Amino acid sequence: MRDVARSNRCKGHIEIFGACAALSTNRNVAQHAAAEVLVRCLSQALKHRPAFYRVGEQETSFDEKWLIALARSLKNGDDASAAFLLNSRVPKHAQRNLVFLLRNVVDNFSRI
């Protein structure tokens, strides 16, 4: 995610609802494309630009820790933890789309 975040810092805004619609019609979307859409839309869900540190950095930002915890809870089927994490930072109207995007990424990465 850090690598994707760094390469997308200067790219234009993507509207989260349109991005989800575009991904949902393409079952063969590459893992990088799913990660890119997630990174580019995450600020809409969090209402601020998330902090991603450089690749190889030992420290982890609060946003990275939160995203990893949410990804793990989704991957492990821990609905209670996922609901808590989502409700703590994401408005209700954006939760469904964020989960859709994150699941696309989680399904393609083995190390979460």
Side-chain angles (χ1 to χ4, degrees), residues 11-36:
K11 289 189 178 176
H13 172 77
I14 293 179
E15 198 269 321
I16 194 168
F17 300 106
C20 287
L23 284 174
S24 67
T25 61
N26 184 354
R27 292 183 182 212
N28 297 321
V29 67
Q31 67 184 22
H32 184 79
E36 182 175 326

Side-chain angles (χ1 to χ4, degrees), residues 26-89:
N26 184 354
R27 292 183 182 212
N28 297 321
V29 67
Q31 67 184 22
H32 184 79
E36 182 175 326
V37 170
L38 174 64
V39 166
R40 291 176 71 185
C41 293
L42 193 55
S43 63
Q44 291 175 63
L46 296 178
K47 300 294 184 195
H48 73 274
R49 186 176 180 162
F52 286 98
Y53 293 159
R54 292 181 185 266
V55 175
E57 191 72 37
Q58 294 301 313
E59 286 287 318
T60 307
S61 73
F62 179 81
D63 293 320
E64 290 172 325
K65 288 176 186 174
W66 177 83
L67 192 59
I68 291 167
L70 180 56
R72 283 185 178 142
S73 65
L74 292 173
K75 189 169 187 144
N76 296 331
D78 185 355
D79 296 333
S81 294
F84 172 79
L85 290 163
L86 285 166
N87 289 330
S88 69
R89 300 189 72 197

Side-chain angles (χ1 to χ4, degrees), residues 68 71-72 75 105-106 108-112:
I68 291 167
R72 283 185 178 142
K75 189 169 187 144
V105 173
V106 168
N108 289 305
F109 285 93
S110 59
R111 217 183 69 169
I112 291 183

